[in-house]
Amino acid sequence: SVESDRRVIYDGIKELFDGSLDNFNKEVRTTLKAAAMHSLTGQKAMLPYRAIVWQVLSAFPSALGATLSEDFSDCPLYRRVTFCIYAVTYSFCGLPVLAALAMELGKRLAANPRLAGARAVFAYLGVGFLLAAMADAWGYLASKFPGWIAESSIAEYGVKDWHAVPIAICINSLAWVAAVWAFRPRSRADGAHV
């Protein structure tokens, strides 16, 4: 019967885990889960880069399409170049890093036993607002700032319109570094890559 099978399985588990089902549950939920997740991803982010990019890939055509819109048709070349740099970076680095950060923060909130009911709702909303603010701030820093330089050419300060491109590359490279850090494989203690 089902009950006798269950008893046999429980007795076998107790024998393997120092006579306690709690030890088994703890082992499965901590050590085994961490090992399984590490073997699946081998990185800091919860999901592999490819999985996250597939989720956010729809942003890329719309971002690049914006450079062809009427808003950009009269813009200087350097402004369009800086926006293209931003669009590629945001689509392939910014959004994946923000998605990985959202999952990590959500995982940490879910592990907090004190969060329940309205408190949990406000905590998750807080994560959403934080990530939206980060995305907006990144947009201003990585797109609007170089764009402003490309359009205004602040000659009295020695800044030319073409300086916007190397500035955009430098600022946007921070997102590439963040993506490599979040999605690169972790090293084992012995230094070998997984």
Side-chain angles (χ1 to χ4, degrees):
S1 77
V2 173
E3 260 322 297
S4 64
D5 291 344
R6 181 176 292 157
R7 208 171 315 119
V8 169
I9 291 171
Y10 283 171
D11 289 342
I13 290 172
K14 285 179 183 177
E15 186 178 309
L16 292 172
F17 290 90
D18 300 324
S20 170
L21 289 176
D22 290 335
N23 288 345
F24 169 75
N25 285 331
K26 183 197 268 183
E27 187 74 22
V28 167
R29 290 184 178 144
T30 57
T31 309
L32 184 63
K33 179 183 174 187
M37 290 304 294
H38 183 66
S39 70
L40 288 174
T41 63
Q43 60 195 14
K44 288 179 179 38
M46 291 177 66
L47 289 177
Y49 178 75
R50 274 186 235 140
I52 292 181
V53 166
W54 277 112
Q55 291 176 6
V56 299
L57 194 58
S58 62
F60 184 62
S62 65
L64 279 183
T67 61
L68 302 173
S69 71
E70 290 181 24
D71 295 340
F72 279 98
S73 61
D74 294 331
C75 286
L77 173 66
Y78 296 122
R79 172 63 181 126
R80 288 185 295 218
V81 170
T82 61
F83 189 80
C84 286
I85 292 169
Y86 166 73
V88 170
T89 301
Y90 189 69
S91 298
F92 292 102
C93 294
L95 286 175
V97 167
L98 288 172
L101 181 59
M103 286 186 268
E104 181 63 29
L105 292 174
K107 179 180 81 170
R108 290 177 187 223
L109 287 176
N112 187 346
R114 295 180 300 179
L115 284 179
R119 181 182 264 175
V121 169
F122 286 117
Y124 288 115
L125 283 173
V127 168
F129 284 126
L130 172 67
L131 293 172
M134 289 174 69
D136 206 35
W138 179 254
Y140 277 99
L141 180 65
S143 174
K144 302 258 190 237
F145 178 63
W148 174 71
I149 292 171
E151 290 177 2
S152 62
S153 183
I154 317 165
E156 62 266 15
Y157 297 108
V159 179
K160 307 272 189 244
D161 57 354
W162 66 268
H163 289 144
V165 174
I167 289 171
I169 291 170
C170 290
I171 292 172
N172 282 283
S173 67
L174 297 173
W176 291 93
V177 169
V180 168
W181 179 82
F183 296 107
R184 79 175 192 281
R186 290 184 189 166
S187 297
R188 290 188 180 164
D190 61 357
H193 285 288
V194 175

